[in-house]
Amino acid sequence: MLPLIALFIAAFAFGTTEFVIAGVLPQVADGLSVSIPTSGYLVSGYAGGIAIGGPLLALATKGISRKTLLLCLTVAFTIGQAACALAPDFASMLLLRIAVAVAHGAYFGVAMVVAVGLVPEDKRGMAVAVILSGLTVSNVIGVPAGTAIGNLWGWRATFWVMCALGVVAFAAMAALLPRTTGASRPSASLGSEVRVLARQQVWTSLILMLTLMIGQFGLFTYITPTLLEVTHLDESLIPWVLLLNGVGATVGVFLGGKLSDWKLMPSLITMLALQAVMLGVIYAVSPYPVPMVIAIVIWGGLNFAIGTPIQTRILAWTADASNLASSLIPSGFNVGIALAASLGAAMLNAGYGYRSLPVVGAAAMLVAVVVALASYIWEGRSRAAPPPLPAAAE
């Protein structure tokens, strides 16, 4: 369990630095003498770095010891935070954020492979949940704390604190991770890495990932104006709703881990169907504050409960050539986030209004149910079994 905690600390650090920028964006824009819309490229640039750079870095470093690679990625994170704190202008800040994002994308892919190699096969889902909880806890604790620090001492102080967190993460992994992980095969060729993506369990899971993000971020991207204009909540209550959503997401991660270790595909199909229902409920209750808040919390929990088995499934079916596939997990999520935000913007620009967003999400989740059910039936008929984890490799 201690090695998983070390991986969690670094995941928390990477998650916080990705999302905390939103909390200090006005201060960053003012400090770097750019407009707030321009500073928004620090968010989209980070997502692009994860989606594109993460898989490329994972492939380029597949011959390196997993522990060594994780430590190097954490060093890159730590140096990157210090450099961001010292950034003299917007261009350098953007380039530094993209560089950290590349390390972020590679870290989560490698960390999840290492995590499932540290536990018995029937605990893989929970191992993935521990890594994912770094992201949810970063939203519940890291982002509010980083924003408060930025408000008190300036946005550069936020990045200095993130630098210190990187040092803690490095020390924890150096002390607690074993030299061998049993979760990597550096000798896997590029052809082998690409071929595992052709397994239907892998590419259907990537489709499920995209539909999940449409169901989540099509609404979440615009959750604040939705709560203000449709639900008519007071602006001062919005942070508390988001906090409750984050708590729900954290609970959901571990629920998803338990269900993944119990009955992965039946649980996944059931939760996808429930999420379609929840998005329909959100549409129905969105004008009513108390039911809407309750629905948002349950919806947040289901989002992350669903994400855990999807990632566990990808890792299980790519265990024999995991470098590329595992790095595509954070890439897929970020591509899905960008797609969901763009789809939501198109809906709003077409005049459909904020209340239409959960309807689109519900439709996406129904597509996911069909894909997951077809994949499960296909898998059962083929009687295929996931590949075994490869022998230990330093």
Side-chain angles (χ1 to χ4, degrees):
M1 190 62 185
L2 288 178
L4 292 180
I5 291 174
L7 294 172
F8 163 84
I9 294 171
F12 173 80
F14 274 109
T16 301
T17 203
E18 177 180 10
F19 300 121
V20 77
I21 191 71
V24 294
L25 203 60
Q27 297 98 311
V28 172
D30 183 61
L32 299 177
S33 301
V34 296
S35 67
I36 291 179
T38 297
S39 65
Y41 286 113
L42 296 173
V43 177
S44 55
Y46 198 99
I50 293 174
I52 299 171
L56 294 177
L57 181 59
L59 282 177
T61 57
K62 65 190 183 76
I64 301 176
S65 156
R66 301 296 89 182
K67 178 175 181 177
T68 299
L69 178 56
L70 289 172
L71 291 173
C72 288
L73 293 171
T74 308
V75 169
F77 168 87
T78 305
I79 294 173
Q81 302 313 298
C84 285
L86 298 169
D89 53 45
F90 177 76
S92 59
M93 181 70 164
L94 178 59
L95 291 174
L96 288 166
R97 288 276 296 171
I98 292 173
V100 171
V102 172
H104 176 135
Y107 174 81
F108 275 91
V110 175
M112 283 190 287
V113 173
V114 169
V116 300
L118 290 169
V119 298
E121 185 174 343
D122 62 350
K123 300 294 183 184
R124 286 179 178 178
M126 190 53 62
V128 172
V130 170
I131 307 302
L132 279 182
S133 68
L135 291 177
T136 60
V137 174
S138 73
N139 277 284
V140 176
I141 298 175
V143 173
T147 302
I149 290 167
N151 291 335
L152 286 173
W153 296 297
W155 65 269
R156 294 183 188 274
T158 299
F159 285 97
W160 281 119
V161 172
M162 294 305 305
C163 177
L165 185 57
V167 173
V168 173
F170 178 89
M173 286 196 293
L176 299 176
L177 285 184
R179 289 187 66 241
T180 58
T181 66
S184 174
R185 179 179 286 175
S187 60
S189 66
L190 177 60
S192 299
E193 297 282 352
V194 173
R195 278 194 295 273
V196 300
L197 301 181
R199 292 171 184 160
Q200 69 90 358
Q201 293 86 354
V202 179
W203 59 261
T204 53
S205 294
L206 290 172
I207 293 173
L208 295 178
M209 188 181 294
L210 291 176
T211 56
L212 175 63
M213 289 299 95
I214 293 173
Q216 179 178 357
F217 278 88
L219 173 60
F220 191 78
T221 302
Y222 306 98
I223 190 66
T224 295
T226 299
L227 291 172
L228 290 173
E229 297 186 22
V230 179
T231 313
H232 302 295
L233 280 184
D234 187 270
E235 189 173 8
S236 64
L237 296 176
I238 301 298
W240 294 103
V241 176
L242 296 180
L243 175 63
L244 289 173
N245 178 267
V247 171
T250 303
V251 173
V253 162
F254 290 102
L255 174 63
K258 286 285 188 183
L259 293 174
S260 297
D261 293 330
W262 178 53
K263 291 185 181 294
L264 192 151
M265 285 305 293
S267 299
L268 177 57
I269 293 166
T270 301
M271 288 190 292
L272 290 170
L274 286 174
Q275 190 67 315
V277 172
M278 276 311 306
L279 284 159
V281 169
I282 288 174
Y283 170 80
V285 305
S286 55
Y288 311 104
V290 174
M292 179 62 164
V293 171
I294 294 171
I296 288 293
V297 175
I298 297 172
W299 168 72
L302 277 171
N303 281 325
F304 280 85
I306 293 168
T308 304
I310 291 176
Q311 294 178 78
T312 303
R313 193 177 193 225
I314 293 174
L315 292 170
W317 283 93
T318 61
D320 53 338
S322 59
N323 294 292
L324 177 60
S326 62
S327 66
L328 285 176
I329 292 174
S331 294
F333 276 121
N334 280 272
V335 169
I337 290 169
L339 178 63
S342 299
L343 182 59
M347 293 289 294
L348 296 173
N349 289 333
Y352 286 97
Y354 293 112
R355 199 177 179 188
S356 68
L357 298 177
V359 177
V360 176
M365 301 316 295
L366 289 175
V367 171
V369 170
V370 173
V371 171
L373 191 57
S375 175
Y376 185 45
I377 293 171
W378 186 357
E379 180 182 322
R381 287 179 176 174
S382 69
R383 297 184 180 180
L389 284 173
E394 290 188 9

